[in-house]
Amino acid sequence: MKNLISGNISDAVYKADDKMDDIKLDKVKAIYSYQNGDSYIFSNPETWEEIELKGEDLGDALNYLEEEMPLDVVYYESTAVAVELPTFVEREIAYTEPGLRGDTSGKVMKPARINTGFEVQVPLFVEQGEWIKIDTRTNEYVERVKK
């Protein structure tokens, strides 16, 4: 288990009939603003309040963060504890090797680095400079996008 406030992780064993308290998490729409050292700053577009989270609180979201990106900040007891990304994001391929012609047997993939530095597997026909849609739940390529 992970303590949402302190970040401490602990092991525990429970029986099937043990009861747990329900946890109420609130979500607030926010926009990613900037990084300040290990802190990531988000702003609430309604109140312009700044929300600060540490890198370890963001998990896989770090792979997709870009300035002005809309997302949800998750709160537990009035403390920001995480962010929730949109299900799909569109990102530009910053670098990938050219695909080899003729290798079309099966689902052949190659690594590609998006403009945030994250590497994702894409089909051979995807080229540098193109935009792709990525499923943020699985970190997988979905399709090419026209921009």
Side-chain angles (χ1 to χ4, degrees):
M1 291 186 300
K2 180 178 179 182
N3 184 312
L4 292 176
I5 304 297
S6 68
N8 293 335
I9 296 174
S10 62
D11 291 327
V13 177
Y14 294 98
K15 294 181 238 164
D17 60 344
D18 286 347
K19 301 286 184 214
M20 301 273 184
D21 293 335
D22 287 336
I23 295 174
K24 185 173 184 329
L25 299 175
D26 296 313
K27 294 180 189 173
V28 173
K29 298 272 184 222
I31 296 172
Y32 173 61
S33 296
Y34 61 95
Q35 180 181 357
N36 184 9
D38 187 40
S39 296
Y40 294 80
I41 311 301
F42 303 84
S43 61
N44 180 330
E46 294 177 12
T47 64
W48 294 108
E49 165 197 8
E50 285 194 346
I51 305 161
E52 183 176 336
L53 286 165
K54 297 287 182 198
E56 62 259 14
D57 297 329
L58 300 178
D60 283 347
L62 289 175
N63 300 330
Y64 303 106
L65 282 184
E66 289 185 331
E67 287 187 18
E68 303 298 317
M69 178 182 179
L71 41 71
D72 292 329
V73 175
V74 180
Y75 281 86
Y76 173 70
E77 294 183 355
S78 72
T79 301
V81 294
V83 295
E84 191 172 284
L85 293 172
T87 304
F88 300 102
V89 295
E90 296 176 358
R91 294 294 180 261
E92 184 178 9
I93 300 293
Y95 177 78
T96 189
E97 295 289 333
L100 300 173
R101 299 277 182 223
D103 192 357
T104 58
S105 60
K107 187 177 179 183
V108 181
M109 306 293 269
K110 64 180 179 178
R113 192 171 55 248
I114 61 174
N115 48 1
T116 62
F118 181 62
E119 199 168 275
V120 62
Q121 294 293 314
V122 299
L124 288 178
F125 58 80
V126 175
E127 297 179 10
Q128 186 170 320
E130 291 186 312
W131 285 75
I132 60 170
K133 182 187 277 190
I134 303 169
D135 186 329
T136 59
R137 299 166 299 184
T138 61
N139 296 327
E140 292 179 347
Y141 165 88
V142 176
E143 65 185 359
R144 278 193 293 192
V145 178
K146 299 251 189 247
K147 283 281 182 175

